[in-house]
Protein backbone atom coordinates (compact mmCIF):
# COMPACT_ATOMS: atom_id res chain seq x y z
CA UNK A 1 0.00 0.00 0.00
CA UNK A 2 1.38 3.39 -1.00
CA UNK A 3 1.21 6.25 1.47
CA UNK A 4 1.18 9.98 0.89
CA UNK A 5 4.41 11.72 -0.10
CA UNK A 6 6.78 12.46 2.77
CA UNK A 7 6.82 16.17 1.87
CA UNK A 8 3.14 16.43 2.76
CA UNK A 9 3.83 14.92 6.17
CA UNK A 10 6.34 17.73 6.79
CA UNK A 11 3.63 20.29 6.18
CA UNK A 12 4.69 21.34 2.68
CA UNK A 13 2.13 21.58 -0.10
CA UNK A 14 2.61 19.76 -3.38
CA UNK A 15 0.47 17.80 -5.80
CA UNK A 16 0.15 14.04 -5.72
CA UNK A 17 2.11 12.21 -8.44
CA UNK A 18 0.38 12.73 -11.78
CA UNK A 19 0.42 9.00 -12.52
CA UNK A 20 -1.98 8.39 -9.61
CA UNK A 21 -4.68 10.56 -11.21
CA UNK A 22 -4.11 9.62 -14.86
CA UNK A 23 -2.78 12.98 -15.99
CA UNK A 24 0.22 13.64 -18.23
CA UNK A 25 0.45 17.34 -17.35
CA UNK A 26 1.42 18.13 -13.78
CA UNK A 27 -0.52 21.38 -14.15
CA UNK A 28 -3.75 19.38 -14.43
CA UNK A 29 -3.29 17.58 -11.10
CA UNK A 30 -5.73 19.07 -8.58
CA UNK A 31 -5.14 16.80 -5.57
CA UNK A 32 -2.48 17.73 -3.04
CA UNK A 33 -2.59 15.12 -0.27
CA UNK A 34 -4.53 12.20 1.20
CA UNK A 35 -4.66 10.10 4.33
CA UNK A 36 -6.68 7.23 5.72
CA UNK A 37 -9.45 8.17 8.14
CA UNK A 38 -10.75 4.69 8.87
CA UNK A 39 -11.53 1.55 6.89
CA UNK A 40 -12.56 2.56 3.36
CA UNK A 41 -12.76 6.23 4.43
CA UNK A 42 -10.19 8.81 3.36
CA UNK A 43 -9.47 12.52 3.61
CA UNK A 44 -8.25 13.98 0.32
CA UNK A 45 -7.14 17.56 -0.19
CA UNK A 46 -7.36 19.53 -3.42
CA UNK A 47 -6.53 23.02 -4.62
CA UNK A 48 -8.46 24.79 -7.37
CA UNK A 49 -6.63 27.60 -9.18
CA UNK A 50 -8.20 31.02 -9.52
CA UNK A 51 -7.70 30.96 -13.29
CA UNK A 52 -7.71 27.47 -14.80
CA UNK A 53 -6.98 27.43 -18.54
CA UNK A 54 -10.22 25.55 -19.30
CA UNK A 55 -12.43 25.57 -16.20
CA UNK A 56 -12.31 29.31 -15.55
CA UNK A 57 -14.49 31.16 -13.02
CA UNK A 58 -17.98 32.35 -13.99
CA UNK A 59 -19.27 35.54 -12.37
CA UNK A 60 -16.65 35.24 -9.59
CA UNK A 61 -17.57 31.59 -8.87
CA UNK A 62 -15.32 28.61 -9.37
CA UNK A 63 -16.30 26.32 -12.23
CA UNK A 64 -18.05 23.26 -10.72
CA UNK A 65 -16.30 21.08 -13.30
CA UNK A 66 -13.18 21.54 -11.17
CA UNK A 67 -15.20 19.66 -8.55
CA UNK A 68 -16.07 16.94 -11.06
CA UNK A 69 -12.45 16.54 -12.13
CA UNK A 70 -11.34 16.45 -8.48
CA UNK A 71 -13.84 13.68 -7.72
CA UNK A 72 -12.66 11.74 -10.77
CA UNK A 73 -9.05 12.10 -9.63
CA UNK A 74 -9.96 10.90 -6.13
CA UNK A 75 -11.22 7.59 -7.54
CA UNK A 76 -8.02 6.95 -9.50
CA UNK A 77 -5.79 8.03 -6.61
CA UNK A 78 -7.41 5.75 -4.06
CA UNK A 79 -7.62 2.82 -6.47
CA UNK A 80 -3.87 2.91 -7.00
CA UNK A 81 -2.68 3.88 -3.52
CA UNK A 82 -5.19 2.22 -1.19
CA UNK A 83 -6.65 -0.65 -3.25
CA UNK A 84 -3.47 -1.74 -5.03
CA UNK A 85 -4.62 -1.34 -8.64
CA UNK A 86 -1.45 -1.48 -10.78
CA UNK A 87 -0.54 1.27 -13.20
CA UNK A 88 -1.64 0.44 -16.74
CA UNK A 89 -5.11 -0.74 -15.78
CA UNK A 90 -7.93 0.95 -17.65
CA UNK A 91 -10.66 2.79 -15.73
CA UNK A 92 -14.24 3.23 -16.94
CA UNK A 93 -16.51 5.72 -15.19
CA UNK A 94 -20.13 4.58 -15.02
CA UNK A 95 -21.72 7.33 -12.95
CA UNK A 96 -20.83 10.82 -11.79
CA UNK A 97 -23.12 13.15 -9.86
CA UNK A 98 -22.85 16.16 -7.60
CA UNK A 99 -24.85 18.90 -5.93
CA UNK A 100 -23.06 22.11 -4.90
CA UNK A 101 -23.86 25.24 -2.93
CA UNK A 102 -23.31 28.29 -5.18
CA UNK A 103 -22.20 30.56 -2.35
CA UNK A 104 -19.44 28.11 -1.38
CA UNK A 105 -17.96 28.31 -4.88
CA UNK A 106 -17.08 32.01 -4.69
CA UNK A 107 -13.58 32.92 -5.86
CA UNK A 108 -11.32 34.28 -3.11
CA UNK A 109 -8.01 36.15 -3.16
CA UNK A 110 -6.08 32.85 -3.14
CA UNK A 111 -6.63 29.44 -4.76
CA UNK A 112 -9.56 27.48 -3.34
CA UNK A 113 -8.52 24.79 -0.85
CA UNK A 114 -11.04 21.98 -0.40
CA UNK A 115 -11.22 18.74 1.54
CA UNK A 116 -12.93 15.74 -0.01
CA UNK A 117 -14.12 13.32 2.67
CA UNK A 118 -14.44 10.09 0.73
CA UNK A 119 -16.17 6.83 1.67
CA UNK A 120 -15.72 3.89 -0.70
CA UNK A 121 -18.49 1.29 -0.91
CA UNK A 122 -19.90 -1.47 -3.12
CA UNK A 123 -16.34 -2.70 -3.55
CA UNK A 124 -16.05 -5.68 -5.91
CA UNK A 125 -12.89 -7.78 -6.09
CA UNK A 126 -11.85 -10.82 -8.07
CA UNK A 127 -9.41 -12.50 -5.75
CA UNK A 128 -7.24 -9.63 -4.52
CA UNK A 129 -7.82 -7.49 -7.61
CA UNK A 130 -10.21 -4.55 -7.43
CA UNK A 131 -12.78 -4.78 -10.22
CA UNK A 132 -15.12 -1.90 -9.39
CA UNK A 133 -16.24 0.39 -6.62
CA UNK A 134 -18.43 3.37 -5.84
CA UNK A 135 -17.60 6.27 -3.57
CA UNK A 136 -19.36 9.10 -1.82
CA UNK A 137 -17.60 12.45 -1.39
CA UNK A 138 -18.50 15.24 1.02
CA UNK A 139 -16.64 18.37 -0.04
CA UNK A 140 -15.79 21.08 2.50
CA UNK A 141 -14.17 24.48 2.26
CA UNK A 142 -12.85 26.09 5.44
CA UNK A 143 -14.79 23.47 7.41
CA UNK A 144 -18.12 24.35 5.77
CA UNK A 145 -20.12 22.26 3.27
CA UNK A 146 -19.47 22.96 -0.40
CA UNK A 147 -20.89 19.92 -2.24
CA UNK A 148 -21.68 16.24 -2.15
CA UNK A 149 -20.79 13.88 -4.97
CA UNK A 150 -21.11 10.23 -5.98
CA UNK A 151 -19.15 8.24 -8.54
CA UNK A 152 -18.73 4.65 -9.67
CA UNK A 153 -16.07 3.08 -11.89
CA UNK A 154 -14.63 -0.25 -12.94
CA UNK A 155 -11.05 -1.11 -13.82
CA UNK A 156 -9.65 -3.63 -16.28
CA UNK A 157 -6.22 -5.16 -16.77
CA UNK A 158 -4.33 -4.28 -19.99
CA UNK A 159 -4.74 -7.82 -21.32
CA UNK A 160 -8.49 -7.91 -20.75
CA UNK A 161 -8.86 -4.40 -22.16
CA UNK A 162 -7.07 -5.45 -25.37
CA UNK A 163 -9.39 -8.43 -25.72
CA UNK A 164 -12.44 -6.20 -25.23
CA UNK A 165 -11.33 -3.27 -27.36
CA UNK A 166 -8.69 -4.56 -29.75
CA UNK A 167 -6.24 -2.11 -31.25
CA UNK A 168 -8.17 1.12 -31.68
CA UNK A 169 -6.74 4.44 -32.86
CA UNK A 170 -6.14 7.29 -30.47
CA UNK A 171 -6.88 9.92 -33.13
CA UNK A 172 -9.88 10.39 -35.40
CA UNK A 173 -9.99 10.56 -39.18
CA UNK A 174 -13.24 12.53 -39.01
CA UNK A 175 -12.98 16.16 -40.03
CA UNK A 176 -13.37 18.51 -37.08
CA UNK A 177 -16.69 20.31 -37.65
CA UNK A 178 -17.04 24.03 -37.12
CA UNK A 179 -18.19 24.77 -33.60
CA UNK A 180 -21.18 26.84 -32.67
CA UNK A 181 -20.59 30.40 -31.47
CA UNK A 182 -18.37 30.33 -28.34
CA UNK A 183 -20.53 32.93 -26.58
CA UNK A 184 -23.56 30.62 -26.89
CA UNK A 185 -21.86 28.03 -24.66
CA UNK A 186 -20.01 30.35 -22.29
CA UNK A 187 -16.61 29.99 -23.92
CA UNK A 188 -14.26 32.87 -24.76
CA UNK A 189 -12.82 31.14 -27.83
CA UNK A 190 -13.61 28.44 -30.39
CA UNK A 191 -10.87 25.98 -29.31
CA UNK A 192 -12.82 24.85 -26.24
CA UNK A 193 -16.22 24.53 -27.95
CA UNK A 194 -17.28 20.87 -28.10
CA UNK A 195 -20.58 21.28 -30.00
CA UNK A 196 -21.11 21.77 -33.74
CA UNK A 197 -24.26 22.92 -35.53
CA UNK A 198 -26.24 20.24 -37.36
CA UNK A 199 -28.28 22.41 -39.71
CA UNK A 200 -31.85 23.70 -39.82
CA UNK A 201 -34.60 21.84 -38.02
CA UNK A 202 -32.52 20.57 -35.12
CA UNK A 203 -32.04 23.55 -32.79
CA UNK A 204 -31.35 21.46 -29.67
CA UNK A 205 -29.17 18.82 -31.30
CA UNK A 206 -25.45 19.12 -32.00
CA UNK A 207 -22.58 16.98 -33.18
CA UNK A 208 -19.84 16.44 -30.63
CA UNK A 209 -16.58 18.10 -31.69
CA UNK A 210 -13.77 15.67 -30.93
CA UNK A 211 -10.42 17.43 -31.07
CA UNK A 212 -7.86 14.84 -29.98
CA UNK A 213 -5.14 17.52 -30.08
CA UNK A 214 -6.80 19.53 -27.31
CA UNK A 215 -4.21 19.73 -24.51
CA UNK A 216 -6.67 19.39 -21.61
CA UNK A 217 -9.65 17.42 -22.96
CA UNK A 218 -7.11 14.92 -24.36
CA UNK A 219 -4.32 15.31 -21.83
CA UNK A 220 -2.88 12.02 -23.09
CA UNK A 221 -3.76 9.62 -25.95
CA UNK A 222 -6.87 7.49 -25.39
CA UNK A 223 -8.91 5.30 -27.74
CA UNK A 224 -12.31 6.84 -26.88
CA UNK A 225 -13.90 10.15 -25.93
CA UNK A 226 -13.10 10.83 -22.25
CA UNK A 227 -15.97 11.16 -19.80
CA UNK A 228 -14.95 14.73 -18.92
CA UNK A 229 -15.46 15.72 -22.58
CA UNK A 230 -18.96 14.25 -22.49
CA UNK A 231 -19.73 16.10 -19.25
CA UNK A 232 -18.45 19.32 -20.79
CA UNK A 233 -20.69 18.69 -23.81
CA UNK A 234 -23.63 18.34 -21.43
CA UNK A 235 -22.79 21.65 -19.76
CA UNK A 236 -22.40 23.41 -23.11
CA UNK A 237 -25.63 21.89 -24.42
CA UNK A 238 -27.45 23.12 -21.31
CA UNK A 239 -26.13 26.62 -21.94
CA UNK A 240 -27.01 26.55 -25.63
CA UNK A 241 -30.50 25.20 -24.95
CA UNK A 242 -31.38 27.80 -22.32
CA UNK A 243 -29.27 30.80 -23.28
CA UNK A 244 -28.16 31.05 -19.64
CA UNK A 245 -24.43 31.14 -20.25
CA UNK A 246 -23.77 33.01 -17.00
CA UNK A 247 -25.63 30.42 -14.91
CA UNK A 248 -23.74 28.04 -12.67
CA UNK A 249 -24.13 24.26 -13.17
CA UNK A 250 -24.74 23.38 -9.51
CA UNK A 251 -26.16 19.89 -10.09
CA UNK A 252 -25.18 16.97 -12.29
CA UNK A 253 -26.44 13.41 -12.54
CA UNK A 254 -24.72 11.51 -15.34
CA UNK A 255 -24.60 7.87 -16.45
CA UNK A 256 -22.23 6.42 -19.04
CA UNK A 257 -23.51 3.31 -20.79
CA UNK A 258 -20.88 2.61 -23.45
CA UNK A 259 -17.67 3.95 -24.92
CA UNK A 260 -18.00 7.00 -27.17
CA UNK A 261 -15.81 6.01 -30.10
CA UNK A 262 -13.51 8.30 -32.06
CA UNK A 263 -14.44 6.94 -35.50
CA UNK A 264 -18.14 7.89 -35.67
CA UNK A 265 -20.16 11.06 -35.06
CA UNK A 266 -21.68 11.42 -31.59
CA UNK A 267 -24.88 13.46 -31.23
CA UNK A 268 -25.80 15.57 -28.21
CA UNK A 269 -29.45 16.50 -27.57
CA UNK A 270 -30.89 18.76 -24.88
CA UNK A 271 -34.33 19.07 -23.31
CA UNK A 272 -34.76 21.94 -20.81
CA UNK A 273 -37.23 21.56 -17.96
CA UNK A 274 -39.04 23.93 -15.63
CA UNK A 275 -37.24 25.61 -12.71
CA UNK A 276 -37.66 23.97 -9.32
CA UNK A 277 -38.53 25.79 -6.08
CA UNK A 278 -34.92 26.93 -5.69
CA UNK A 279 -34.82 28.35 -9.22
CA UNK A 280 -32.58 25.57 -10.55
CA UNK A 281 -33.36 24.74 -14.19
CA UNK A 282 -32.87 21.07 -15.13
CA UNK A 283 -31.66 20.25 -18.64
CA UNK A 284 -31.80 16.62 -19.76
CA UNK A 285 -28.93 15.64 -22.07
CA UNK A 286 -28.66 12.51 -24.21
CA UNK A 287 -25.60 11.45 -26.19
CA UNK A 288 -26.03 8.89 -28.98
CA UNK A 289 -23.70 7.24 -31.45
CA UNK A 290 -24.71 4.83 -34.21
CA UNK A 291 -28.27 5.09 -32.85
CA UNK A 292 -27.24 3.81 -29.42
CA UNK A 293 -27.16 5.78 -26.18
CA UNK A 294 -23.64 6.59 -25.01
CA UNK A 295 -24.51 8.66 -21.96
CA UNK A 296 -27.29 10.59 -20.29
CA UNK A 297 -27.06 13.52 -17.94
CA UNK A 298 -29.21 16.05 -16.17
CA UNK A 299 -27.52 19.40 -15.60
CA UNK A 300 -29.05 21.79 -13.05
CA UNK A 301 -28.38 25.45 -13.89
CA UNK A 302 -28.63 28.10 -11.19
CA UNK A 303 -28.85 31.68 -12.56
CA UNK A 304 -26.59 33.97 -10.54
CA UNK A 305 -28.41 37.22 -11.36
Amino acid sequence: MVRQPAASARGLTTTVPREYVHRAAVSEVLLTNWKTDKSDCFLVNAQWPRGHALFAPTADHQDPLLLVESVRQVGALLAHTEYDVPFGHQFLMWNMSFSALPEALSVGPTPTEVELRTTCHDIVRRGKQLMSMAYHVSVERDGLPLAVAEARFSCTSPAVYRRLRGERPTTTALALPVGIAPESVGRPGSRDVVLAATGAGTPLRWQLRVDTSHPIFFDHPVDHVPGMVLIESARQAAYAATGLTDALPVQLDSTFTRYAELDAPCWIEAEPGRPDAAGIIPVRITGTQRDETVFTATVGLRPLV
Side-chain angles (χ1 to χ4, degrees):
M1 181 178 295
V2 182
R3 294 301 180 189
Q4 55 265 49
S8 294
R10 294 195 301 267
L12 303 181
T13 299
T14 184
T15 59
V16 304
R18 59 189 173 89
E19 292 83 0
Y20 287 165
V21 297
H22 304 170
R23 279 289 172 254
V26 174
S27 60
E28 294 307 311
V29 179
L30 300 176
L31 307 186
T32 59
N33 192 19
W34 82 99
K35 64 180 180 180
T36 302
D37 184 19
K38 54 185 177 181
S39 179
D40 296 320
C41 296
F42 309 92
L43 301 179
V44 185
N45 296 98
Q47 185 188 81
W48 300 341
R50 297 166 63 196
H52 191 271
L54 179 62
F55 303 130
T58 298
D60 295 324
H61 287 72
Q62 288 282 23
D63 188 337
L65 264 65
L66 286 172
L67 166 64
V68 175
E69 174 61 12
S70 298
V71 172
R72 184 203 67 78
Q73 291 188 15
V74 164
L77 170 76
L78 296 180
H80 288 306
T81 62
E82 302 292 340
Y83 295 94
D84 301 318
V85 174
F87 292 130
H89 278 50
Q90 297 290 328
F91 286 57
L92 178 61
M93 187 67 70
W94 293 102
N95 303 99
M96 173 70 74
S97 65
F98 78 87
S99 178
L101 300 173
E103 59 273 17
L105 291 166
S106 61
V107 176
T110 59
T112 304
E113 304 278 353
V114 296
E115 185 172 70
L116 301 102
R117 297 179 176 271
T118 304
T119 301
C120 300
H121 59 93
D122 293 334
I123 299 167
V124 177
R125 291 185 174 90
R126 181 173 298 165
K128 295 183 178 180
Q129 180 62 56
L130 179 72
M131 303 301 295
S132 65
M133 74 176 184
Y135 53 106
H136 172 86
V137 183
S138 296
V139 186
E140 296 182 358
R141 177 183 184 181
D142 298 327
L144 299 175
L146 185 151
V148 293
E150 294 274 354
R152 182 171 66 90
F153 69 88
S154 59
C155 45
T156 307
S157 70
V160 171
Y161 190 79
R162 283 193 297 271
R163 288 199 297 270
L164 291 173
R165 301 280 294 159
E167 296 296 330
R168 293 179 179 269
T170 57
T171 58
T172 177
L174 298 175
L176 185 65
V178 177
I180 62 178
E183 59 269 20
S184 70
V185 292
R187 285 296 175 189
S190 59
R191 180 72 190 274
D192 299 333
V193 174
V194 298
L195 302 180
T198 59
T202 54
L204 299 184
R205 183 174 187 262
W206 306 269
Q207 183 179 347
L208 182 68
R209 296 182 76 236
V210 180
D211 180 4
T212 57
S213 69
H214 194 286
I216 299 177
F217 286 141
F218 287 84
D219 166 79
H220 57 279
V222 290
D223 67 359
H224 58 277
V225 180
M228 285 300 293
V229 176
L230 298 177
I231 290 174
E232 174 64 16
S233 77
R235 184 250 291 276
Q236 292 190 17
Y239 281 164
T242 62
L244 298 172
T245 56
D246 58 351
L248 205 62
V250 295
Q251 295 177 354
L252 172 73
D253 186 4
S254 60
T255 299
F256 305 91
T257 53
R258 60 194 311 114
Y259 289 101
E261 305 293 358
L262 300 177
D263 59 357
C266 182
W267 304 99
I268 309 298
E269 298 184 57
E271 182 182 353
R274 295 181 177 275
D276 65 13
I280 298 173
I281 301 168
V283 185
R284 174 73 171 175
I285 309 296
T286 304
T288 58
Q289 188 174 61
R290 298 191 176 105
D291 297 323
E292 294 183 302
T293 299
V294 171
F295 83 106
T296 59
T298 298
V299 178
L301 296 179
R302 172 73 177 271
L304 294 176
V305 292

